[in-house]
Amino acid sequence: MSAATATLDQSDAWRPAVNPWIIALAVTLATFMEVLDTSIANVALPHIAGSLSAGQDESTWVLTSYLVSNAIVLPLSGWLSSIVGRKNFYMGCVALFTISSFMCGLAPNLAVLILCRVLQGAGGGGLQPSEQAILADTFPPAKRGMAFAIYGVAVVTAPAIGPTLGGWITDNFSWRWIFFINIPVGILSILLTSRLIQDPPYFRRRKLAETHIDFVGLGFVALGLGTLQVVLDKGQRDDWFESRFIVWMTIVAVSALIFVIFWEWRNKDPIIDLHLFRDRTFGISNLLMFMLGFALLGSTLLLPLFMQTLLGYTAAQSGLALMPGGFTIMLLLPLVGFLLSRYSPRWLLVFGLVVLSASLFHMTNFNLQIDFRTTAMARLIQAVGMAFLFVPINTAAYAFLPREKNNAASGLMNLARNMGGSVGISVVTTMLDRRTQVHLTDLAQHLSAANPAMLAMIRGASEAMKSHGASAAGATQQAYALIQSTVQRQATMLAYIDCFWFLGVAILLMIPAVFLMKKSKPGGGMAVH
């Protein structure tokens, strides 16, 4: 037996001293808290702006600053872990996230709050990749599906409950408590991590004195991802390329990221290991994870907005409509993890993509008269598709990679999902606004004095207003206002249908990509030849 084979056997035989399921629950705590923070502050922005005497547009930097620093750290987490040790890096990220959350809650003005959110995003950026790498190493390939199911509960359900929880906390307490609730969870996570988690023997920690730090790559990764996140977050608000600021940010982002690709590919000790994409299964897994984030966060934005603006739901009611979907994911993910030990990930992925696409096409049947049950059921069906995607994608991504590459791989996978979510939110918000204008123009063509139906509607509405005490002139004005409001709502409804249709088509087009992945044995093992 060769030395390399012996080393491989030792690494495969290594198991942590503590029950792996206890480790999985311990590391999921902090990840759930961090993913929750990406969406929990959204509904509190008006309260934050008012409390800190800031404008509404200025307050949006509370969200953007977090997302920018988070996106920068995600792909760097594997490299940073190799220098300080994965356990130390994970504990440091939890500590930074917890301390900066406390500072956010005490922030006296907007500038301090934004600075603290940058630190919070930097700490949070290392949590998801580290947890994923820890789970990949802690569990053997046959049980990784079940392990990633626990991780999936945190990553998929947290964005859905974030706005509802944030609204409830803000209404009943103060916006500062959306940050303070992180503190006890963070402290508990640090205590559990210090006692339970250990780095595997094949995880080689590099000495900083012997490490060549790629400052050029580091700088351009930060510049490219940071400016790209600003473009995605601020683009629609600034009318995209009508804004000189967005144009310049886009030029910088594209130039920096193109340079990063060439630089990191040729670098002997890269910050981001792009050579992992030589494995087509890993590359396709990243594409599917990007699209999962695209559909998940895009639809999670659309559904509550639709219910609150067109159906008249409160924030709490719209949150309740999403809740069955969250419970469905929690119940199904362990089942999906079990099925992965029996079936190839490819067939579960095809099923998940078909169901997710079908659920989005089902939403194109929405109208302004649908009830609570219809929206909740639509979200529930969508949740079934997402449950059958998240775990198989993660399992397939690691199936053909060396175990020492788990850290680098997890950073890229989480970056793909986060960027997919950011792109999804930008696309649907832009599309919703533009398609509303298109439908409004189309419907307005029928609002003319030559249209008998239009005249009949005005007469009927005017008579109804007069019967409630309005004057003849006032009744006519109110009738026109009522028709204008009705047309606006119908145009917006059609725009939502367009968005759901677009998301459904985008997911459906991913099915052929699944069959480009290498065949693997059930349980995420190596290929069957």
Side-chain angles (χ1 to χ4, degrees), residues 17-138:
V18 184
N19 188 308
W21 296 108
I22 297 176
I23 293 176
L25 291 173
V27 293
T28 301
L29 267 177
T31 300
F32 183 84
M33 172 181 70
E34 186 272 325
V35 178
L36 190 70
D37 251 57
T38 60
S39 61
I40 196 172
N42 293 25
V43 294
L45 283 186
H47 298 268
I48 293 174
S51 173
L52 301 180
S53 302
Q56 187 67 37
D57 190 58
E58 293 175 311
S59 67
T60 59
W61 282 103
V62 172
L63 306 178
T64 305
S65 57
Y66 181 90
L67 295 172
V68 167
S69 59
N70 198 272
I72 293 170
V73 173
L74 273 171
L76 304 178
S77 57
W79 177 76
L80 292 170
S81 295
S82 68
I83 294 176
V84 300
R86 187 167 62 204
K87 177 180 177 178
N88 293 335
F89 176 69
Y90 183 76
M91 290 179 64
C93 287
V94 176
L96 177 60
F97 186 87
T98 305
I99 294 170
S100 56
S101 295
F102 179 70
M103 294 165 60
C104 285
L106 297 178
N109 54 56
L110 186 64
V112 173
L113 178 59
I114 291 173
L115 176 61
C116 294
R117 285 284 282 177
V118 170
L119 296 175
Q120 191 186 34
L127 295 180
Q128 296 177 53
S130 297
E131 181 191 348
Q132 215 168 1
I134 289 169
L135 292 177
D137 283 338
T138 301

Side-chain angles (χ1 to χ4, degrees), residues 202-223:
Y202 49 85
F203 183 89
R204 291 194 297 271
R205 179 176 166 183
R206 297 190 295 181
K207 295 180 181 180
L208 186 59
E210 300 174 359
T211 302
H212 169 68
I213 300 177
D214 179 16
F215 288 107
V216 174
L218 181 62
F220 275 90
V221 166
L223 180 65

Side-chain angles (χ1 to χ4, degrees), residues 315-355:
Q317 288 172 328
S318 61
L320 288 173
L322 299 181
M323 193 173 293
F327 284 124
T328 301
I329 290 175
M330 293 175 69
L331 291 173
L332 283 181
L333 281 175
L335 172 63
V336 176
F338 170 77
L339 290 175
L340 275 170
S341 65
R342 299 287 187 272
Y343 303 99
S344 170
R346 296 206 300 181
W347 298 113
L348 298 182
L349 286 172
V350 170
F351 177 78
L353 289 169
V354 169
V355 173

Side-chain angles (χ1 to χ4, degrees), residues 483-497:
I483 291 173
Q484 182 182 14
S485 173
T486 302
V487 171
Q488 178 70 47
R489 293 181 74 232
Q490 293 292 343
T492 307
M493 181 71 253
L494 291 170
Y496 276 103
I497 290 173

Side-chain angles (χ1 to χ4, degrees), residues 218-239:
L218 181 62
F220 275 90
V221 166
L223 180 65
L225 291 176
T227 50
L228 176 61
Q229 191 64 60
V230 170
V231 169
L232 294 173
D233 200 50
K234 293 285 187 181
Q236 171 60 16
R237 194 175 292 111
D238 292 350
D239 199 20

